[in-house]
Amino acid sequence: MESDRQALLGFSRRTVLGGALAAGMSTVFGVSPVHATPVSHPRSRVAILGGGVAGLTAAHELIERGFEVTVYERRALGGKARSMAVPGTGMPGRAPLPGEHGFRFFPGFYRNVTDTMRRIGFPGNLNGVWDNLVDARQVKLSRQGAPDITVPGLRDLATITPDDLRESLAAAAREAADLPASESSYWAGRMLVYLTSSDARRLGQWEETPWTSFIGADTRSPEYRTVLSRLPTRSLVAARADLASTRTIGSISEAFFNLALGNGKDGEADRVLNGPTSETWIDPWVRQLTDLGVRFEVPATATGFDVRGGRIAVVTVADRTGYETPIEADHFICALPVEKARRLWTPEILSLDPGLAAMDNLFVDWMNGIQFYLRHPARLCEGHIAFVDSPWALTGLSQNQFWARSLGDHYGDGEVQDCLSVDISDWETPGMLYDKPAKQCNPEEIAREVWAQIGAHVNDTRVLLPDDDLHSWFIDPGIAWHPGPGLNTDDDPLLINTAGSWQDRPNSQTAIANLFLAGDYVRTNVDLATMEGANESARAAVNSLLDATGSNAERCDIHPLYQAPELEPLRGIDEQRYRDGLPNMFDIG
């Protein structure tokens, strides 16, 4: 009788046990799941395709609400966010050196993914995995033959006037680069235009405007183009300034600006994890979800959809040998990257949801990392460092200074004392040594080239990174190397928010009743290919699924980017001006 009663309520033994385990984790680890006890809704099986941040987030939200969840992942759980063991580097009693797709970065305006982190138990942490985030104390812009650059903070927005705001922004620009007063003032004026633009103008005008056009980069000095056009796009968000949407770059710039003022904060502006990503975040997450009842199938590659009666009836997945198995579920969440998801849209699927065809217009590009393992600690910066003049738009992080377990004591052969993790954002510009873009180099050439570009920045006045300090290196294994120019491939490209691309990006709810989308290409508030965007999109997909099932479960919280209320009157004026076909009141050319 008890089992019958549970079935009527939509419960299963696994979800009941999951609730007990969740309650236990709240006691042991100090985390409180949103739904430790399942709520009443029709029993539903959900298949999630993809086990990156989006897929794991969707699984987390659904299992807490009593659904039966299976995640199918083709390669490794965690996706681009995971860390991975460097083959052949582990010694008896010591873990292999940790490699990664690229270093992790958690700016303080991330609020969705960090909310999830608070709900992932970690021994000894009151706030779960979130307590593994530590503040980076500096952000540096390294220039060849010039001192490192820091940008000052800004005054409290509650008492600042538009003229004061323009003056403060111009001062920051002058401090950050050797710009003439006229150029720094012009840039500050453009930022003021964006900060006071209404949402309607941002979507209707600035979404269609490339960043270079908005800030007038083409008619200004090389220094202006480098620091205020190329750096915020190539180095920070792996976009091309001539292609990137002003709405995207402007909104992220606004988010950092608000952080400097102490607004919309989940933490400090620049945060990193206190150890390898999988150890401090992904592995504890997977263990918790497994304990709650989530099933994981790895490797399992989605290869096709079977549509019946206007719904997805079956998804075919292949194992590592290529053997295909049909899987059934009541609902499907496609949490694959855009370049993988759009390959699955058959003519039948597109006939049911023609809007999905626009995903073919979305642009992806390379942004992959390399790790340099060092024999001594790298004393370059107490946080992220941008190598401003590097042809390949390099940014880096010396990681061991933030880790609770030192590399020298726990990883590799004992000789490695630090890891300089470097992101390569520009794979198409010729480098210094070989006069070839990174896409045309072999792994050894990339390692030598990146090391030389970094050395040109940090060893220009005194040697901070000697050649004999380099122990070894590791390149993102998502890149496949093939002989011949232009034949290398990247299995982990990044979505680039090109101007006008919002109209081609789907919502989480498709026109197919039981198919939902989660991924950093889906429309989100953060509007950028990030862990935050992946997490937010998964929350939206789960909310859509809850609506579709008629569940009475509490909907997932979705946290938008902060907008300063003090500027709301100016944005209100701009909304009317935009409707009247007039420019922003501060847009004076």
Side-chain angles (χ1 to χ4, degrees), residues 40 75 93 124 226 265 330 473:
S40 177
R75 187 173 53 183
T226 296
K265 294 177 61 173
D330 299 299
W473 49 266

Side-chain angles (χ1 to χ4, degrees), residues 293-564:
V294 175
R295 291 179 55 235
F296 293 100
E297 298 289 342
V298 183
T301 302
T303 57
F305 289 96
D306 182 6
V307 179
R308 300 173 194 167
R311 296 170 62 87
I312 305 298
V314 172
V315 172
T316 304
V317 298
D319 63 16
R320 68 174 72 252
T321 70
Y323 179 78
E324 293 187 332
T325 302
I327 61 171
E328 296 182 352
D330 299 299
H331 303 278
F332 297 87
I333 295 180
C334 182
L336 301 173
V338 60
E339 72 280 359
K340 304 292 192 303
R342 62 192 177 191
R343 296 175 188 169
L344 299 175
W345 304 151
T346 63
E348 190 171 13
I349 287 177
L350 293 178
S351 70
L352 295 171
D353 191 342
L356 294 177
M359 287 171 55
D360 286 341
N361 300 328
L362 298 177
F363 178 66
V364 297
D365 204 356
W366 294 27
M367 182 178 182
N368 302 68
I370 179 171
Q371 287 78 57
F372 294 103
Y373 302 103
L374 309 176
R375 292 186 172 89
H376 298 93
R379 306 187 186 282
L380 302 178
C381 175
E382 297 179 18
H384 290 93
I385 180 169
F387 304 99
V388 176
D389 303 308
S390 57
W392 289 358
L394 306 176
T395 47
L397 179 73
S398 301
Q399 294 182 313
N400 192 69
Q401 62 185 315
F402 300 106
W403 287 6
R405 285 161 39 98
S406 71
L407 275 161
D409 292 340
H410 298 280
Y411 302 89
D413 59 7
E415 290 188 21
V416 174
Q417 300 296 317
D418 207 348
C419 173
L420 178 59
S421 186
V422 180
D423 280 356
I424 306 169
S425 298
D426 187 337
W427 288 75
E428 297 179 349
T429 298
M432 295 169 48
L433 298 183
Y434 304 103
D435 196 33
K436 294 192 298 184
K439 284 184 178 179
Q440 296 182 14
C441 292
N442 62 41
E444 290 76 16
E445 289 172 336
I446 288 179
R448 295 189 192 104
E449 182 72 58
V450 173
W451 185 258
Q453 292 183 29
I454 292 173
H457 283 73
V458 303
N459 296 332
D460 48 356
T461 55
R462 61 190 180 98
V463 177
L464 297 177
L465 204 60
D467 289 340
D468 59 7
D469 201 26
L470 179 60
H471 175 278
S472 53
W473 49 266
F474 176 75
I475 293 181
D476 180 1
I479 300 173
W481 311 98
H482 306 282
L487 298 181
N488 296 333
T489 58
D490 183 6
D491 199 32
D492 293 309
L494 191 71
L495 174 76
I496 305 300
N497 294 62
T498 54
S501 62
W502 181 263
Q503 64 181 351
D504 297 323
R505 292 165 60 188
N507 293 313
S508 61
Q509 172 72 71
T510 72
I512 301 171
N514 66 337
L515 177 63
F516 309 88
L517 304 180
D520 56 19
Y521 66 94
V522 176
R523 290 180 177 180
T524 59
N525 290 288
V526 73
D527 190 32
L528 189 64
T530 56
M531 298 177 291
E532 176 76 350
N535 184 282
E536 181 188 336
S537 71
R539 290 166 178 250
V542 170
N543 286 347
S544 296
L545 191 152
L546 294 175
D547 292 342
T549 62
S551 172
N552 68 348
E554 181 182 347
R555 271 41 180 176
C556 304
D557 289 334
I558 294 179
H559 304 278
L561 291 175
Y562 179 88
Q563 285 192 319

Side-chain angles (χ1 to χ4, degrees), residues 193-206 247 563 567-568 570-579 584:
V193 167
Y194 190 83
L195 291 172
T196 58
S197 288
S198 63
D199 290 341
R201 187 184 299 279
R202 292 183 182 195
L203 187 59
Q205 182 177 1
W206 302 139
R247 177 172 176 263
Q563 285 192 319
L567 293 178
E568 190 58 37
L570 294 177
R571 288 193 290 265
I573 293 172
D574 186 65
E575 184 172 4
Q576 183 60 52
R577 290 179 64 87
Y578 182 69
R579 283 200 298 265
N584 180 279

Side-chain angles (χ1 to χ4, degrees), residues 210-293:
W211 181 246
T212 47
S213 300
F214 179 75
I215 64 171
D218 292 340
T219 59
R220 284 168 175 80
S221 67
E223 182 73 5
Y224 185 97
R225 292 194 295 272
T226 296
V227 176
L228 298 179
S229 179
R230 182 173 183 261
L231 180 63
T233 53
R234 276 294 196 186
S235 295
L236 297 182
V237 297
R240 283 175 48 184
D242 58 334
L243 296 178
S245 159
T246 291
R247 177 172 176 263
T248 295
I249 305 304
S251 293
I252 295 301
S253 300
E254 179 182 35
F256 278 110
F257 172 71
N258 280 319
L259 285 180
L261 300 170
N263 296 324
K265 294 177 61 173
D266 177 77
E268 294 306 311
D270 187 1
R271 296 173 296 176
V272 298
L273 286 164
N274 65 356
T277 310
S278 290
E279 290 183 24
T280 56
W281 177 23
I282 302 299
D283 290 348
W285 199 3
V286 172
R287 286 194 295 269
Q288 178 169 318
L289 295 181
T290 301
D291 288 343
L292 291 173

